[in-house]
């Protein structure tokens, strides 16, 4: 098994996380390699994707569903490990390093990194806005390696078995492309975060009443002489 030790997780913790994810009986659940790819895409995404959106993708259901994980303590452990794993990838990207992903040597269909690539593409589809821009950007060709390795560009790719050298070259291209995507969408993420915390403009429920307008209470007086006068009571006694 080829992998890089995440700074925030010990080797035994990575093994534990991989073991718990692999033990999920749901056929749609993701292993750690695919989760690594998913997280790389979500961390780079031009807009935020919330846990309630991506956790069902990882587990093939919600963590609390029967059979998905285990008891409450097991759920807590796996969730804590996933959060730290996410943070370790974000730290790699933020330091402008290429994240060295968790990748199984055996691969899928004999292609090392295919599970990672498929996880990455799952992540792009959870927040599709903006991703077409980078995939169509001729200066960002490294990222195109990802859909090629998944088999989405050509289901019959590769036409012949990949050599170890070629497989390693493709894997490095994917990881370099993922690092570039994180930088590519930096301004988008900043703008999205600012918009998310900006308060909604106040909208008056009814039109503002001018001081010389008729009072809405129906007294026939001007507003300033009626309910709008200083010290006017809510009972509208005239």
């Amino acid at each position: 098994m080829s992998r890089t030790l995440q700074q925030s997780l010990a080797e035994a913790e990575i093994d534990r996380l991989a073991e718990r994810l692999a033990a999920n009986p749901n056929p749609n659940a993701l292993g750690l390699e695919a989760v690594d790819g998913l997280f790389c895409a979500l961390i780079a995404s031009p807009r935020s994707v919330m846990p309630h959106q991506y956790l069902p993708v990882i587990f093939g259901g919600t963590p609390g569903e029967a059979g998905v994980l285990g008891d409450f303590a097991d759920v807590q452990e796996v969730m804590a490990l996933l959060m730290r794993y996410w943070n370790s990838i974000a730290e790699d990207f933020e330091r402008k390093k290429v994240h060295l992903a968790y990748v199984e040597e055996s691969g899928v269909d004999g292609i090392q990194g295919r599970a990672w690539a498929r996880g990455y593409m799952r992540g792009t589809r959870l927040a599709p806005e903006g991703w077409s821009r980078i995939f169509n950007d001729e200066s960002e060709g490294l990222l195109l390696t990802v859909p090629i390795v998944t088999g989405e560009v050509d289901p019959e790719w590769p036409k012949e078995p990949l050599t170890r050298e070629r497989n390693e070259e493709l894997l490095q291209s994917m990881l370099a492309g993922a690092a570039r995507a994180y930088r590519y969408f930096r301004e988008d993420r900043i703008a999205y975060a600012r918009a998310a915390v900006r308060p909604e403009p106040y909208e008056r429920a009814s039109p503002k009443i001018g001081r010389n307008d008729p009072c809405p209470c129906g007294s026939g007086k001007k507003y300033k002489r009626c309910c709008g006068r200083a010290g006017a009571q809510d009972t509208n006694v005239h």
Side-chain angles (χ1 to χ4, degrees), residues 38-39 50-63 79 82:
L38 178 80
F39 280 1
M50 297 294 103
H52 74 271
Q53 296 172 275
Y54 65 75
L55 287 176
V57 175
I58 294 175
F59 299 119
T62 59
M79 294 296 292
L82 283 171

Side-chain angles (χ1 to χ4, degrees), residues 57-229:
V57 175
I58 294 175
F59 299 119
T62 59
E65 288 181 13
V68 171
L69 287 175
D71 58 20
F72 182 70
D74 193 29
V75 172
Q76 283 189 311
E77 177 193 20
V78 174
M79 294 296 292
L81 290 173
L82 283 171
M83 181 178 297
R84 289 168 62 198
Y85 200 86
W86 172 293
N87 290 338
S88 69
I89 296 174
E91 183 180 6
D92 281 349
F93 283 156
E94 190 57 34
R95 290 183 175 183
K96 298 185 177 180
K97 299 187 303 183
V98 173
H99 167 64
L100 301 181
Y102 181 102
V103 175
E104 300 283 353
E105 289 184 355
S106 56
V108 175
D109 304 323
I111 301 171
Q112 193 177 32
R114 173 163 272 188
W116 184 93
R118 288 176 174 172
Y120 193 94
M121 293 307 295
R122 292 283 293 273
T124 68
R125 294 187 179 106
L126 286 177
E129 304 88 346
W131 283 100
S132 60
R133 191 167 87 240
I134 190 171
F135 280 119
N136 291 320
D137 190 332
E138 294 182 358
S139 66
E140 297 294 335
L142 285 173
L143 199 64
L144 287 175
T145 311
V146 179
I148 290 174
V149 171
T150 64
E152 294 180 19
V153 175
D154 180 0
E156 297 182 0
W157 180 93
K159 305 299 183 182
E160 56 187 33
L162 299 173
T163 64
R164 177 180 291 274
E165 292 74 16
R166 179 55 177 160
N167 212 152
E168 183 66 24
E169 179 184 330
L170 290 168
L171 181 58
Q172 294 305 317
S173 293
M174 289 195 298
L175 298 182
R180 289 180 63 89
Y182 179 80
R183 297 190 290 273
Y184 187 91
F185 289 125
R186 181 181 297 277
E187 294 303 319
D188 296 77
R189 291 192 301 274
I190 292 173
Y192 182 86
R194 286 174 176 168
V197 299
R198 187 179 300 127
E200 292 292 330
Y202 171 76
E203 293 186 7
R204 187 180 296 274
S206 58
K208 183 178 179 179
I209 302 172
R211 286 177 52 78
N212 292 315
D213 290 341
C215 189
C217 73
S219 66
K221 300 179 181 180
K222 291 183 179 181
Y223 178 68
K224 67 182 180 181
R225 301 293 184 189
C226 189
C227 296
R229 75 187 188 282

